[in-house]
Amino acid sequence: MIVISGPSGVGKDTIIERLLKMDPDLRYSISFTTRPKRDYEVNDVHYSFVGKPKFEELIGRGELLESALYNGYYYGTSRTRVEKLQRQGIDVILKIEVRGAEQVRAKRPDGVFIFIAPPSMEELLHRREERGSDTPAVIEERQRLARWEMSHAQYYDYVVTNEDAQVAAEDVMEIIRRERARRRGAQPPE
Ligand code: 5GP
């Protein structure tokens, strides 16, 4: 299991898209969320969009490997989807925020935890300004949240700085290859 975290706007989606193209044995686990769908998003592709009662039902029946409230909405990882992929020998990528990652770490310490950091907080702000038409208050709130998220980078196995998306994706791919090799080496001979 490969857990990827990082502040909003840092470029996690682009990096993950590139990883999926680089390696057919990697798959992205689609999360559940109560957040409203954005125009460009497709249900059951970007997220499975659900209402709060459905989300609570998923928690109630133990279907979420982890879950967190982020920016006023709930997000959670499907245990069934992750386990199905893993049974097929696929390495699953989770793109989750820091509190969810802590929960996964407690349950699945064998995961690889990677934090994507911006070159600087100013650059992160700049990237987000380019992306959207947020109000100054929203921008300030996001930046505050980003600073809080950055303070958790120290708890990850790896921190990759995203100066350039292709270089960062290659760095993450290299980490995955090394971890795979290390794990194969650690297995007892048959
Ligand atoms: P967004 O709403 O911008 O797509 O995502 C907001 C944040 O929620 C991002 O940091 C993203 O990584 C995180 N996130 C997405 N899916 C999950 C999930 O299943 N669990 C947790 N804990 N966080 C998630």
Side-chain angles (χ1 to χ4, degrees), residues 86-147:
Q86 288 188 319
R87 273 198 303 274
Q88 295 165 17
I90 286 168
D91 289 330
V92 183
I93 299 184
L94 304 183
K95 180 196 69 178
I96 64 181
E97 52 66 69
V98 297
R99 275 163 308 168
E102 274 169 26
Q103 295 166 44
V104 176
R105 166 90 79 185
K107 284 184 194 157
R108 310 287 291 269
D110 58 329
V112 181
F113 294 78
I114 304 171
F115 192 93
I116 310 291
S120 68
M121 294 308 283
E122 290 73 34
E123 173 63 21
L124 183 67
L125 186 64
H126 178 64
R127 285 183 195 174
R128 264 198 260 111
E129 276 172 348
E130 271 183 357
R131 199 167 75 164
S133 51
D134 293 330
T135 63
V138 169
I139 290 172
E140 177 44 36
E141 176 55 24
R142 290 254 168 88
Q143 200 69 349
R144 197 190 57 76
L145 184 56
R147 279 194 292 271

